[in-house]
Amino acid sequence: MAKHYLVTGGTGFLGAALVKRLLADGHAVRVLDNNSRGAPRRLADVEGAYEMVVADVRDSDAVTAAAKGVDGILHLAAVNGTEFFYSKPELVLDVAVRGMLAVLDACRRNDIADMVVASSSEVYQTPPVVPTDESAPLSVPDVLNPRYSYGGGKIASELLAVNYGRTGFDRMTIFRPHNVYGPDMGWEHVLPQFALRAAKAVAEQPEGTIEFPILGDGCQTRAFVHIDDFTDGLAKVVERGEHQNIYHIGTPEETTIAECARLVVRSFGRDVVIQPSEAPAGETSRRCPDITKLKTLGYAPRISLEEGLPSLVEWYAANAHLAPKAA
């Protein structure tokens, strides 16, 4: 059945993909974003098919007004990107907590009983078991380390969503994305930074093996899920996710950071020598989701990292001029 959704953070990487999927599935969509990190260009191909509200998700009155008349809120607005965790931890936390409260207020004021909330794999930091299912304990290992501003903010968001969601909601569902990647995903993440670094190195050194510096020894692993697979998983959560349930969205395909660097450089047809360095404090050595629960909703990721990475590399090589000066 077609519904009317408000998507917060709808010009972000994940949000824009969700907006386009919802429209393709026949739903009506209203987007709320202040475009501080989102980019309206991500929705250029569906311009005119959705409503746009330019507002800060922390503005409770603005969110309440934007939610008027919708059937549900899909809350994705956040300040993501590892660089920001270290450089702007206060902002990261402020958007997480005030934004979640504003969305909850909007649901209560508009009698909206359907809410889906974006969390993150960062809530685990160093999970006790890998692959990790949704029951693993959440933790902030060191409150003095600004890196945990994001994971801590997401833990607070989950607590608020779950406990407010106990009354007045027919359905309150949380999803935890695990390392989603694709073209135009932002500038503060490892794969775009690798792509830009590789493009620059190839331009400066037209022949021979590329020496490629990375943070850490390269043995850290992640399970990168392509944006198309992620969006399919999120659509399953929006359509079939159960009340007071949490779902991982990702892939069980685990890859080392060193191998990611090699794949990026190989996309330019070049060989590479990895140059390791000291890892930043708080770096998680291994992260991979158990997606058994989401599979029960019909989810099955299809795109391997080797298949999905070239389009990301091509986009960043062609659009390096769009990068903010700080990236």
Side-chain angles (χ1 to χ4, degrees), residues 158-243:
E158 288 199 20
L159 286 168
L160 287 165
V162 167
N163 289 292
Y164 274 68
R166 294 185 192 281
T167 58
F169 284 90
D170 297 327
R171 197 267 296 264
M172 188 294 302
T173 301
I174 293 168
F175 67 94
R176 295 176 182 150
H178 282 65
N179 294 98
V180 189
Y181 73 95
D184 200 7
M185 66 178 289
W187 307 93
E188 304 82 20
H189 308 276
V190 63
L191 294 181
Q193 291 181 348
F194 279 5
L196 291 171
R197 192 179 307 160
K200 183 173 184 290
V202 168
E204 292 174 349
Q205 183 185 327
E207 297 180 356
T209 300
I210 299 295
E211 294 185 351
F212 199 83
I214 63 173
L215 291 175
D217 60 10
C219 294
Q220 314 98 305
T221 68
R222 296 293 183 269
F224 293 95
V225 62
H226 190 271
I227 183 63
D228 291 349
D229 282 338
F230 165 81
T231 306
D232 184 58
L234 181 50
K236 298 284 193 300
V237 171
V238 171
E239 180 184 353
R240 306 173 194 168
E242 297 180 354
H243 182 51

Side-chain angles (χ1 to χ4, degrees), residues 269-313:
R270 302 290 290 278
D271 292 325
V272 63
V273 173
I274 303 298
Q275 295 180 319
S277 64
E278 185 177 353
E283 179 71 22
T284 299
S285 62
R286 189 180 176 204
R287 189 177 290 142
C288 179
D290 182 331
I291 57 172
T292 301
K293 187 186 288 189
L294 189 57
K295 283 182 175 180
T296 66
L297 302 185
Y299 174 67
R302 305 178 307 277
I303 303 170
S304 70
L305 183 62
E306 192 167 1
E307 293 169 326
L309 197 53
S311 63
L312 177 150
V313 173

Side-chain angles (χ1 to χ4, degrees), residues 5-85:
Y5 288 110
L6 173 66
V7 179
T8 73
T11 62
F13 174 54
L14 303 186
L18 172 61
V19 168
K20 288 187 276 191
R21 175 60 181 262
L22 291 170
L23 291 170
D25 288 347
H27 301 292
V29 181
R30 186 177 298 153
V31 171
L32 183 142
D33 206 311
N34 65 359
N35 298 320
S36 60
R37 294 192 64 250
R41 67 171 180 267
R42 293 189 175 111
L43 293 173
D45 53 343
V46 291
E47 188 174 359
Y50 66 95
E51 300 174 72
M52 183 72 207
V53 177
V54 179
D56 191 317
V57 73
R58 295 171 291 181
D59 184 339
S60 185
D61 290 339
V63 178
T64 295
K68 186 178 176 65
V70 305
D71 298 308
I73 299 182
L74 313 178
H75 177 43
L76 281 74
V79 177
N80 196 0
T82 306
E83 284 188 6
F84 290 136
F85 306 166

